[in-house]
Amino acid sequence: MGGMVQAQSLKDDVSIIAADHDLMGGIVMVYCSNENVEVIPFGLADLERNIKVTDSTAFRIASISKTITAIAIMQLVEDGEIDLDADASDYLGFDLENPNYPTKHITTRMLLSHRSTIFDGPTYSSFLSNAYNANPIPPISDLLQNGGAYYTTQQFNNAEPGKYFQYANINYGILGTIVEVVSGERFDEYVRNHIMIPLDLQGSFNVNHIENIDNVAVLYRKQNGVWVPQVDNYQGVQPVFANLDTYTVGTNGARFGPQGGLRISGKDLAKLFRLFLNEGTVDGVQILNPESVQSMMNPEWTYNGSNGNNYYGLFNSWGLGMHISTNTNNSDEVLEALPPMIGHPGEAYGLVSDAYVSPENNLGIIFMTNGNGSGYTTGNSSVFYTVEKEIFNAINSYDFPIACQVSSVGDFPVKEVDLFPNPVDSVLMMESLGAIEGKALIYDLQGKLVLSQSITDGNVIYGLDQLKAGTYFIQLEHQQVLYRFVKK
């Protein structure tokens, strides 16, 4: 714990960063496998109506959505409905092929890991706009099948499928369609029924599923000094989507934004990402089996200098629906204090978002902002945006990884002491199972030493009236073990 004493809190640092970058609003979260360590909402979700961001504010989280789409695919793999290495054409009902390599199958595994050699070509934007807004909704085959209204050979790499990486949104529109075909459910309904409802989460790929529309953050860009809403400016009124009335399930899952359209709060996103810290289970609810979770986090592709487009150095390794940081200096490093982290970044309509976990350290982080008035820029130390890197550095400086490696009372890493009562009001007893000498030190979540007492006969009684409510840690002098307790 040496060197952990801090001048101010993470909340103070976030406030300074938000002011420096003229952020509209957002949230920063640090969490462990079973609890939140820090929840810091800031700023406004809706400027015009002066609605503040809370831990329940739902953001359109952009490409982090892809990880949730991958979870849906892996559930169907577990159910025996999808073979990751089968020809994806078998599920789609039309030939999905790269015209440069017509005999090479494109598989679901390749789509998940951006190795399909299909990318967002010159007609993708108009196709997606019509997928969202046109009535009837065009089938995805119109984009991917020769002769389709949006088809072009310019959306395929001249590379063999499976052997070249290029990050592309269209891969996940295809995956969303596969979910629909094999499950018989609309993509948004599948995710709601099989992921969100079982975990008691409000998130959805359909904004109409968000019970309180006022909880949805407006996304902004600042133009000529004026904040301009980009999307989700609903003004308290649920939108009506007439084109869903005639939609045929299995024709175009891209309509629901499997590549970027999930609305979810920071609180619920952290809960969902806990499945990567708990082998697929969250609060006793199993969403995936441990093998599926591990396969999502294992590298399917790693950059070797010529086997893909590494997106300016950000994407050097990829799993199934998950970005794997490599901690390359001045490149894709997330938290300096930790091994490479796994998760996903996002950016769209003025929003920037990040959700990463370190299973080895039992730690997860989330950052989302719905607008940056100073504009998104990068520096010399990272290919993440400067504001993202500053948030990462602020989290890193508080040694939260240590907090998440502490076992809860009753499950100590070394069973040397018992603490009781816990949670505690004013008096906490520490009873040793063996002789202990030296001091017992109490730290707060920021690593600040708040109390120190000598140990007498292995028993210490602390008067805790002066401590604020919250989580604290006890370290016994000359030991690395920490013990957690909660002050009421």
Side-chain angles (χ1 to χ4, degrees):
M1 298 288 287
M4 285 183 63
V5 177
Q6 306 294 330
Q8 58 189 19
S9 68
L10 179 61
K11 183 177 180 181
D12 292 333
D13 279 355
V14 170
S15 296
I16 292 170
I17 295 167
D20 286 347
H21 290 272
D22 190 17
L23 302 185
M24 171 59 73
I27 191 166
V28 172
M29 293 192 61
V30 182
Y31 59 94
C32 308
S33 60
N34 62 351
E35 67 177 330
N36 295 327
V37 178
E38 285 280 359
V39 181
I40 305 172
F42 61 91
L44 296 177
D46 187 318
L47 176 62
E48 183 177 343
R49 295 189 295 154
N50 196 37
I51 298 176
K52 293 182 179 180
V53 175
T54 71
D55 63 358
S56 297
T57 299
F59 294 82
R60 186 188 183 279
I61 62 171
S63 288
I64 299 173
S65 306
K66 292 181 174 69
T67 299
I68 287 75
T69 299
I71 292 170
I73 288 285
M74 297 308 292
Q75 286 182 327
L76 293 166
V77 170
E78 291 181 6
D79 291 342
E81 300 292 336
I82 294 175
D83 180 342
L84 287 177
D85 298 308
D87 187 348
S89 303
D90 296 343
Y91 305 112
L92 293 167
F94 62 86
D95 290 333
L96 181 69
E97 63 183 38
N98 182 329
N100 302 301
Y101 291 85
T103 63
K104 297 295 182 179
H105 292 165
I106 293 173
T107 68
T108 302
R109 185 186 301 275
M110 295 175 192
L111 293 165
L112 285 167
S113 55
H114 296 287
R115 296 176 299 125
S116 69
T117 66
I118 309 171
F119 61 89
D120 303 338
T123 60
Y124 175 74
S125 180
S126 58
F127 163 76
L128 193 63
S129 178
N130 285 330
Y132 290 152
N133 302 307
N135 194 359
I137 297 167
I140 202 167
S141 58
D142 273 3
L143 177 69
L144 299 167
Q145 193 168 30
N146 194 357
Y150 304 91
Y151 181 85
T152 171
T153 58
Q154 297 178 59
Q155 62 189 354
F156 299 92
N157 288 120
N158 188 13
E160 182 178 338
K163 298 196 175 172
Y164 190 87
F165 173 94
Q166 181 156 349
Y167 183 85
N169 289 305
I170 183 55
N171 288 318
Y172 280 73
I174 300 168
L175 290 167
T177 305
I178 291 173
V179 168
E180 291 195 345
V181 171
V182 302
S183 71
E185 297 179 67
R186 230 170 55 184
F187 177 75
D188 62 321
E189 295 285 1
Y190 178 90
V191 172
R192 187 177 187 226
N193 292 335
H194 298 273
I195 300 174
M196 299 300 168
I197 290 177
L199 292 179
D200 192 27
L201 306 178
Q202 273 287 302
S204 180
F205 282 92
N206 184 340
V207 71
N208 294 142
H209 293 156
I210 307 297
E211 293 179 6
N212 183 356
I213 195 67
D214 286 331
N215 280 345
V216 178
V218 185
L219 305 188
Y220 296 90
R221 289 190 174 102
K222 206 168 197 179
Q223 301 170 355
N224 299 318
V226 178
W227 286 107
V228 179
Q230 304 296 299
V231 295
D232 288 358
N233 187 27
Y234 297 117
Q235 296 294 296
V237 179
Q238 278 281 4
V240 176
F241 302 111
N243 63 358
L244 294 183
D245 296 339
T246 57
Y247 176 68
T248 301
V249 173
T251 57
N252 188 359
R255 165 61 184 80
F256 305 98
Q259 80 288 348
L262 181 68
R263 278 87 169 177
I264 193 169
S265 69
K267 176 182 64 176
D268 281 356
L269 184 60
K271 183 176 180 180
L272 176 55
F273 262 63
R274 283 196 181 98
L275 71 86
F276 298 110
L277 300 177
N278 290 299
E279 298 186 314
T281 297
V282 181
D283 294 344
V285 179
Q286 186 170 10
I287 297 299
L288 290 175
N289 66 40
E291 293 75 21
S292 294
V293 170
Q294 193 58 54
S295 64
M296 290 180 70
M297 297 191 293
N298 285 340
E300 289 284 332
W301 169 86
T302 300
Y303 186 55
N304 67 8
S306 63
N307 63 343
N309 179 343
N310 73 339
Y311 211 74
Y312 307 103
L314 178 59
F315 297 151
N316 294 309
S317 188
W318 208 268
L320 298 177
M322 302 193 80
H323 170 220
I324 302 169
S325 72
T326 61
N327 273 12
T328 301
N329 192 32
N330 299 330
S331 181
D332 65 347
E333 186 177 70
V334 183
L335 296 189
E336 180 182 352
L338 295 188
M341 298 187 78
I342 305 166
H344 216 294
E347 179 185 5
Y349 305 112
L351 169 134
V352 160
S353 58
D354 298 282
Y356 285 91
V357 296
S358 173
E360 291 179 50
N361 292 273
N362 188 30
L363 176 79
I365 66 169
I366 285 169
F367 168 55
M368 297 188 283
T369 179
N370 58 334
N372 183 342
S374 65
Y376 292 109
T377 59
T378 55
N380 296 325
S381 64
S382 176
V383 293
F384 284 101
Y385 286 125
T386 303
V387 65
E388 295 173 282
K389 190 58 179 174
E390 289 182 11
I391 292 291
F392 297 161
N393 288 344
I395 294 171
N396 187 76
S397 70
Y398 285 89
D399 285 343
F400 287 117
I402 294 175
C404 284
Q405 292 181 69
V406 179
S407 294
S408 298
V409 170
D411 185 24
F412 299 132
V414 179
K415 293 184 180 298
E416 286 190 340
V417 300
D418 286 323
L419 304 180
F420 58 91
N422 193 10
V424 61
D425 285 313
S426 61
V427 177
L428 178 67
M429 296 191 66
M430 185 174 75
E431 190 170 273
S432 172
L433 302 181
I436 303 175
E437 296 181 354
K439 292 183 178 294
L441 312 174
I442 295 184
Y443 295 87
D444 65 14
L445 277 174
Q446 278 69 51
K448 182 179 179 181
L449 179 64
V450 294
L451 194 61
S452 171
Q453 281 201 16
S454 297
I455 300 171
T456 305
D457 296 328
N459 297 297
V460 181
I461 300 176
Y462 293 100
L464 304 179
D465 291 323
Q466 74 271 37
L467 297 184
K468 296 179 181 179
T471 300
Y472 295 88
F473 305 103
I474 293 179
Q475 181 187 26
L476 304 180
E477 196 174 29
H478 310 306
Q479 292 191 21
Q480 296 300 312
V481 179
L482 301 176
Y483 303 98
R484 179 188 292 121
F485 72 91
V486 176
K487 171 69 165 58
K488 292 181 181 179

